[in-house]
Structures are given as C-alpha cells and as structure tokens.
Amino acid sequence: MQVVNSLISKIQKATQLQRPSFSSSQLLLWVAFGAILSAALIVRIIPAKYGFYLNEFDPYFDYYGSKFLVDSFNEKGITGVLDYFTWIDTKTWYPEGRPVARTSQVGLHFAGAIFYLIATNILQVSTTLYDAVVIFPVIFGTATVIPIYFITKRIAGNGGGLLAALLFAYSPHIINRGNIGWFKSEPFALFLALSGSYLFLTLYDRNLNGRSFIIRALLAGALLGYANTSWGGSLFFNVVFTTVLVFTPFIASIDQRKAIYGNTIFVVFYLLTTAMFPRPGPSILTNPAGIGLLGALGFTLLAYAINNLSSLQNNLSTIKRVLFSGVIVGVIVVSFNVISGVSGRYQTAIYPYLRSGNPLVESVAEHLVPSGATYISSYLIILPLAVFGSILLLRQRDIASLYVLSFGLSATYLASSFSRLLVFTSIGFGFLAAFGFIMLTKNMFRPGISVATKTRAKLNQTSPGAKFVYSLIMILLISFPVISPAPSLNWIDSYDNPYAISNGGAGAARSDWFEALTWINQNTPEDSVVAAWWDYGYWITVMGNRTSLADNATINGTRIARIGQTLMAPEGQALSNLRDFDADYVLIYIGGQKITQEELDGSVYTLGGGGDESKKQWFIKIGGLEMDDYTERDSFTPNGQFWEATLLGKMMPFAPYKFVDRSDGQLYDEYQDGRIAVYQYSQKYPQRGVTDGLQLAFASSSVQAGHPDGAFGGVLIYEVVDLEEPSDDSSDESSE
C-alpha cells in the first residue's frame, strides 16, 4: 500500500502544472522577438488592400502545378501523384506542350499541395487551394525570421540576432520577392535553406552527440537539398558550404573527427535529396555545384588523414599545398568542359563581367545589373555596419563566423550580376551588420582605464547621457530607411504596390486584366489558342483557361523570337505566321495616359505605361530585327514604319498626331530629340470583319475611347478570322 501511495504521489507531482518562471531579460527578449515576427507578417500582407490575388507571373503556373497534384490526389489517391512526373501540359507551349516535372520548381509544387491538404484535411481549415497558396509566402517568409535570429545569435548574441531578424523582416529586396501572393521560389526555399544552415551549424556544438547529431546532419542536408528542388537560386548555398567545408580543417577549435562524420552525412543527404527530383536531378552530381561540394568534402577527409594518420613534420603546410593543387585541377577541369556545363544565367553569376548578350535574358527586369547607387539607396547605414562587421569577423575562428562571412562575401559578389540575387545580399548584410553593430556598441561602452595617481588606477565608465545619445542616433540611423521621407529610399513605400495582374506590371491597380481573362474564359471555345507576348502566357493558361504559345518558362527561345517577329511584321506576313501557329486569337496590352484639354483637337494620348508599346524594343531585339527600322533616334518612339507596316502598330488603336516639346510645351509635326509623341484614338480593325484578317473581339474598359482622362492599361484581343465568303450581314448591306 505504501508503494502504491508513493507511486500516486509521484504521478501527482509529475502532472502538477507549475507556474513558469522567466527573468525580466528573457521576457523582454521574447516580447521583442514576437514584435519582430508580427512586423514581418504585417509588412508582407500590405498589398492585400488591393485584393487577394497571386502576384507577378510565375506564381500562376506554380499554383497550376500544385492544383494538378491536389486534383490527382483527390481523384486517385497517392498513386495519382505519380502522374505529375509524366505530365506533359499541352495548354502551354502549343503544340508540343511542356514536360512540367523537368521544367518546373517541383519542390514548390509539392509544398503548395501538401500545405493545402494539411490545412483542409488535418487542421480542418475551410479554404480553396488558390487562397492557400496566396497566403503561403507570407507564412514561410515570416517564419524565416526564426532561423535568421538563431544563426546570428551564434556570432552576435541575442541583441545581434534580434537586429538581423528585424532587418530581414523589413528588407524590401526580400519582401518584394516574398509578400502576399508571391507563390514563387524564394520565400519557401530561403526558409528551408536557412533552417538547414542553422542545423548544420549546431553539429559543431561540443555538447551534441549520438542520435541528435545524426538526425540534425541528415535533416540539414535534406532541407537544403529540397530547397534546390524549389528554387534554382538555392544553389548559392553550394558556394557557401563548399567554402565552409574547405576552411573547416584550419579551425583549431573544431573537433575534426566529429566534423568529418557530420559533414559526410550532410553532403550525402544534401546531394541525394537534390538528385531525387527531376530538377535539378542527378545532374547535380556532375555539374560544378555538386562537384565543388564533393571536392570540398574530399579535401576535409584528406586533411583529417594528413593530420591524424601521416608522419609528416609540417601537416598544415601540406594541407595548404593540397588545397592549392585541388583548386588548380578544378579550374582546369571546368575550363576543358570535362564535367557538365552550366547555363548562361549561372555563368553570368559566376563571371559578372560575362553578360550573355541574349536579349531574351536581358529583357527580364530581375536580370538587370545592380549599380553602386542601388546598394547605397537600398542599405544606407547597414552597408558600413556590414563592412565593419566583415572586417571583425576575419579575426574570428569558429564555424558560425566562417559561415556568415562566406555567406556575406559570396552574396555580394554574385549579386553584382543580377538584381534578383540582392535577396542574398540583404540576408548577408543583415548578418554582418548585426555583428558589426554589436561589436561597435560593446567598444563604445567598454570601460576604459585611466591612471588617477601613481599608485591607483580607476575605470572610466561611459556616462548615461552618452549612452542615451548613442542609442538614439543608432536607432534613428537604422530606422531611417524604413521611414525615410524620400520615396526612393523609403522601405515602407516599396512594399505598397498593387499586384502585377491588377496593374499589368506597372502603374495603379485596374480591372483590365481581370476583364480580359474572364472574357477569354467565358467567350472563347475551350480549344482556342491565344497568341501573345510571352509575359502573359501564364495568365492566359491559368486564369483564362486557354492554350498559349509561350510563357515565362522561356523554354523555347526560337518560339518567342518568332512571336516578336510576327508582331513587328507587315500584316500579310503576320497573319500567315498566326495561321502557322494555329492561333485563334492574338492579345496585346497597352499602357499610357489620356489627356483632354481645350486647346487640343479632342483627346490625345501618350504611350509608355509598361505595356507592349514599352516592350516593342525587345520584340525587335529578340526577333533579330533592326531597331532603326521601327523607332526614332531615341530607340523608343515609334516611327512611321511601325504604324504603317507592323501588325502591332495596326492593332494599337492609336494614330500619330503631334510631338510635344519638353522645354516649351508646344506641339510640332516633326520628331526631334526631347519631344514626346502624342496620339489620337484610331481603331483600325472593326469589331465585325468582312474579309480575312483580324477583327476586334474584346477591348478592356480603360483602353476604350470613352474612358476618363488619366492613366490607362488596356487589353485588346483580336480574333484571327478566316472567311471564305462575305458574312450574311455584309451581303444584306451590299444588296441595299
């Protein structure tokens, strides 16, 4: 009986709820961290005031891929998911279609589908897949604050971790590629890769042993490998970890034997997880990214063997010579193309001075080269703090410092090629600036020693007033980019942008694209093929539910070039090309301004609002045509040849009127440098055709003649008509 009572007493004690105790510093820490998470969430949902939509172009196809997985799972169960890997989507890149698994971010498609199925089937959340993937990037973008904090904490303590998390929460380069509706690669892949990075760094903790060590190494590799399947840009982490592994043998504080086991498990699962999916697939094992990682692992094994198994007198010098020889061999192997090559995009990232010269690549805004002014305006005080932090980190001799330094320097170098890679620079600068700020603050407040007398020294403490002034100045400097009165510098202003589908990629929110895609979905035959510039292919396929000729995958540059040639060709040749494409409709998008003044002969229009009128230069370049044949000396203003002898010019419902001089505001008949072309409304193709050619089938509201003054961004859709004889209406009119 005594034993029973004792057991009951122990159970009661074990199950008794005790009031948790926190120190004031712990409570303040978690309140601050909670505030940062809340801020990260809030700024990422700012565009929700314009509606609840997917943003940009690619997220529509990624939603389309996740939808296929969900529909297949609901219809066939787990076996239906396997259909994804053999899926040839014939609604894109007509007529050959697109092998989705080999040309898509497979990991993201699966993540979106699993996220939705868990939310609806397990958590019992009532939502649609579309709404689930709209909010998906907000959740994972906010959650990424957590690994950012814990990684930085390892080098800069809690204060540094909070600052890095705060910078990540507000960074415009990260948020603008990870806000609400951005169901694209970056938010999810960064969460996976940074979480895996933190787990990797914990492998070097001295108190970590046994099962936990193996699980963390395995999980770190799997997370980073899965990140590669979700975003090609995740291969950036190959560079970081290759560098980390190469320098690991030179860090004396590391348990090298333990590091060998952890690194081997990590690299094996990293590469296996990447190779399991069609993209990147097994080629990761034979391309420079995989070879570099395997080579770095091999070097660590060899260095360990030299240190522990050899009888050499100067092991460190031997290891350095081996490393130098390995680098030379690697350069030679890559130079002679012994291993599989790298795409032009990755080559440009590695060699920033080597631009592809491919106008199709150069036409994409995210491929622009960031200037020095971009770095200064984007980061301001963060930039000098990051430089200061990187200098100090060179003195550190631990794995976390090596990782952060490798991350920051690699990101700075690679981002010099593509503005899209500024997401990595923003993270790297956040790490480095947080460390620099903490070290600067410690040095500012460190007590100094002064000699008061010959026999006694005393400490000089920083006065409370000086501490207050320093704190105030640093808070203002760090906060300035967020609340700057200059719109070009203000981070908050940069988040407040309408969805691309609501403004066509430029300008204020409008309903034109929604009107056009709804019309396509409801008023065209289901087997219709719609020709358009490749920017709009995903929208046509996913939201319009019709077949497109080309889209943002750009998997067939020849097709895109031919579409550009067709739009810039004379009417007869263009119509012949459209029939060769088997196109039933051709769509264009136009942006500009409508102006009505008493002194003008009716309303006039200016063009240049981010539509096809602004992209025609790329139609010309990608199509291999001559710019001077279609534009004035500024390579933008359309000339007479454009308006009279191109299909695009005839489809645009405008005709040249005058030129406005910027200096005096007067109207002139001839173009000169500094003059802006203005146009009058002139619809060339009728709404009902009587001969072969095009007829206007749809015009969205803002591009119609009666639309109010101001900015417009309209969609026009023309039907490709193939009449063998006049219509009944035209016969009646003729007989009269």
Side-chain angles (χ1 to χ4, degrees):
M1 189 65 181
Q2 186 176 1
V3 174
V4 174
N5 290 335
S6 176
L7 181 60
I8 292 174
S9 176
K10 290 181 179 179
I11 293 174
Q12 289 176 339
K13 186 176 181 180
T15 57
Q16 184 179 4
L17 293 177
Q18 295 184 356
R19 180 180 176 183
S21 60
F22 297 100
S23 66
S24 58
S25 60
Q26 286 177 317
L27 184 60
L28 182 62
L29 171 66
W30 288 112
V31 168
F33 189 68
I36 293 172
L37 283 173
S38 300
L41 177 68
I42 291 169
V43 296
R44 282 162 173 77
I45 61 174
I46 286 177
K49 67 182 183 180
Y50 301 106
F52 203 74
Y53 306 109
L54 288 170
N55 196 12
E56 219 247 6
F57 302 104
D58 292 9
Y60 284 87
F61 187 81
D62 292 327
Y63 156 70
Y64 186 62
S66 293
K67 185 176 184 300
F68 180 92
L69 286 166
V70 170
D71 291 344
S72 299
F73 177 80
N74 289 336
E75 181 182 348
K76 303 179 183 178
I78 194 66
T79 58
V81 175
L82 300 178
D83 293 342
Y84 174 89
F85 295 100
T86 57
W87 176 28
I88 305 296
D89 179 37
T90 55
K91 294 189 69 173
T92 58
W93 294 97
Y94 178 84
E96 64 273 16
R98 172 181 179 177
V100 176
R102 290 193 290 108
T103 60
S104 304
Q105 313 295 354
V106 179
L108 181 63
H109 293 180
F110 272 86
I114 294 171
F115 177 76
Y116 169 74
L117 292 172
I118 290 175
T120 54
N121 295 337
I122 298 178
L123 302 180
Q124 299 298 307
V125 177
S126 178
T127 184
T128 64
L129 174 64
Y130 183 90
D131 288 346
V133 298
V134 166
I135 203 67
F136 181 95
V138 174
I139 293 174
F140 283 96
T142 301
T144 308
V145 167
I146 299 172
I148 290 286
Y149 165 77
F150 282 107
I151 290 172
T152 315
K153 179 184 175 182
R154 300 181 74 86
I155 62 167
N158 287 323
L162 289 175
L163 178 57
L166 187 64
L167 294 177
F168 179 88
Y170 279 100
S171 174
H173 290 293
I174 294 170
I175 294 174
N176 289 331
R177 305 194 69 84
N179 55 11
I180 188 169
W182 192 274
F183 182 55
K184 203 173 174 179
S185 310
E186 292 94 325
F188 182 60
L190 287 175
F191 171 77
L192 294 177
L194 290 167
S195 298
S197 296
Y198 172 71
L199 289 174
F200 173 84
L201 296 178
T202 64
L203 297 179
Y204 292 85
D205 293 347
R206 292 189 176 276
N207 59 349
L208 184 68
N209 292 296
R211 181 182 301 176
S212 179
F213 175 81
I214 296 174
I215 291 175
R216 292 192 188 194
L218 186 156
L219 189 57
L223 287 173
L224 279 149
Y226 196 78
N228 285 340
T229 73
S230 303
W231 181 30
S234 296
L235 290 174
F236 163 80
F237 287 90
N238 275 56
V239 178
V240 176
F241 282 103
T242 296
T243 306
V244 169
L245 292 184
V246 164
F247 284 98
T248 298
F250 301 103
I251 301 178
S253 61
I254 288 177
D255 182 344
Q256 296 295 335
R257 183 171 180 273
K258 184 178 177 182
I260 288 298
Y261 288 114
N263 292 343
T264 302
I265 296 172
F266 167 77
V267 170
V268 168
F269 277 89
Y270 180 82
L271 295 177
L272 282 180
T273 305
T274 304
M276 284 171 56
F277 292 84
R279 185 182 181 190
S283 64
I284 187 68
L285 301 174
T286 58
N287 71 24
I291 292 293
L293 200 58
L294 287 171
L297 177 62
F299 170 72
T300 61
L301 294 171
L302 185 58
Y304 179 77
I306 292 173
N307 271 326
N308 293 275
L309 303 177
S310 72
S311 58
L312 298 175
Q313 296 298 319
N314 195 337
N315 291 341
L316 185 59
S317 297
T318 303
I319 293 172
K320 290 180 179 179
R321 286 195 293 269
V322 169
L323 176 60
F324 179 77
S325 302
V327 171
I328 296 299
V329 171
V331 171
I332 294 173
V333 168
V334 172
S335 301
F336 284 94
N337 294 322
V338 176
I339 58 180
S340 61
V342 201
S343 70
R345 182 183 301 180
Y346 291 114
Q347 287 180 6
T348 304
I350 297 171
Y351 308 110
Y353 59 85
L354 178 65
R355 304 305 297 176
S356 68
N358 184 340
L360 179 58
V361 174
E362 294 176 355
S363 69
V364 182
E366 65 189 25
H367 293 164
L368 295 177
V369 179
S371 64
T374 300
Y375 281 95
I376 294 173
S377 63
S378 296
Y379 301 111
L380 297 177
I381 186 60
I382 297 170
L383 192 58
L385 283 175
V387 173
F388 179 63
S390 62
I391 293 172
L392 295 181
L393 273 176
L394 289 172
R395 306 173 185 174
Q396 303 293 103
R397 294 294 184 270
D398 61 87
I399 194 68
S401 298
L402 176 59
Y403 171 86
V404 167
L405 192 60
S406 299
F407 192 112
L409 297 180
S410 300
T412 304
Y413 176 78
L414 295 176
S416 63
S417 299
F418 294 132
S419 59
R420 181 179 185 180
L421 297 182
L422 287 173
V423 295
F424 291 127
T425 308
S426 299
I427 297 171
F429 284 177
F431 287 147
L432 296 171
F435 180 73
F437 172 77
I438 292 299
M439 297 306 295
L440 177 64
T441 303
K442 285 183 176 179
N443 288 328
M444 289 290 294
F445 295 157
R446 179 179 296 164
I449 299 177
S450 63
V451 178
T453 65
K454 291 183 179 181
T455 59
R456 187 178 62 181
K458 71 173 185 177
L459 294 177
N460 282 333
Q461 298 285 349
T462 305
S463 68
K467 291 181 180 180
F468 175 78
V469 171
Y470 171 82
S471 301
L472 182 62
I473 291 174
M474 292 307 297
I475 290 172
L476 290 175
L477 288 175
I478 293 174
S479 303
F480 181 77
V482 181
I483 57 175
S484 168
S488 60
L489 302 178
N490 191 298
W491 286 8
I492 295 293
D493 284 351
S494 71
Y495 315 145
D496 190 7
N497 295 308
Y499 300 96
I501 200 169
S502 68
N503 70 352
R510 307 180 189 91
S511 62
D512 292 75
W513 270 106
F514 298 110
E515 297 170 14
L517 295 170
T518 300
W519 184 89
I520 291 173
N521 197 0
Q522 296 179 356
N523 295 277
T524 62
E526 292 185 2
D527 60 350
S528 297
V529 177
V530 181
W533 190 236
W534 60 276
D535 286 358
Y536 319 123
Y538 286 149
W539 291 352
I540 292 168
T541 297
V542 180
M543 303 304 288
N545 196 26
R546 295 297 179 263
T547 301
S548 63
L549 294 175
D551 57 41
N552 300 65
T554 62
I555 57 180
N556 186 340
T558 303
R559 170 73 54 75
I560 295 174
R562 194 169 175 216
I563 292 174
Q565 294 164 1
T566 298
L567 291 169
M568 301 306 299
E571 183 180 20
Q573 180 59 52
L575 288 171
S576 176
N577 289 352
L578 288 171
R579 292 187 176 106
D580 289 343
F581 286 139
D582 200 19
D584 300 296
Y585 297 88
V586 56
L587 176 151
I588 62 170
Y589 171 66
I590 312 170
Q593 291 273 342
K594 181 183 179 182
I595 305 168
T596 302
Q597 294 180 355
E598 292 182 2
E599 60 270 23
L600 297 174
D601 184 15
S603 299
V604 297
Y605 298 79
T606 61
L607 300 179
D612 291 343
E613 84 294 330
S614 301
K615 300 174 183 176
K616 63 184 180 300
Q617 300 84 256
W618 297 114
F619 301 176
I620 295 167
K621 290 181 179 180
I622 295 171
L625 307 174
E626 293 296 327
M627 189 71 67
D628 293 342
D629 291 341
Y630 306 96
T631 64
E632 301 288 357
R633 290 188 300 272
D634 62 355
S635 296
F636 181 83
T637 303
N639 61 17
Q641 172 79 2
F642 172 85
W643 292 108
E644 296 168 9
T646 70
L647 182 68
L648 179 60
K650 289 184 175 295
M651 287 193 297
M652 292 171 62
F654 304 103
Y657 173 57
K658 300 283 186 178
F659 296 93
V660 180
D661 195 288
R662 295 175 187 268
S663 60
D664 58 20
Q666 298 298 310
L667 294 172
Y668 296 90
D669 293 327
E670 300 295 330
Y671 172 82
Q672 287 186 9
D673 291 343
R675 292 178 180 175
I676 303 172
V678 293
Y679 306 90
Q680 291 181 324
Y681 198 89
S682 176
Q683 181 65 58
K684 290 98 169 180
Y685 289 113
Q687 292 188 336
R688 293 190 63 82
V690 295
T691 60
D692 289 357
L694 298 182
Q695 68 179 32
L696 180 62
F698 171 84
S700 64
S701 57
S702 77
V703 79
Q704 295 182 16
H707 190 268
D709 285 5
F712 68 89
V715 182
L716 296 106
I717 303 171
Y718 293 88
E719 185 176 1
V720 182
V721 182
D722 210 355
L723 299 175
E724 296 182 359
E725 58 184 24
S727 66
D728 293 339
D729 291 345
S730 61
S731 298
D732 293 341
E733 293 171 1
S734 299
S735 63
E736 293 176 0

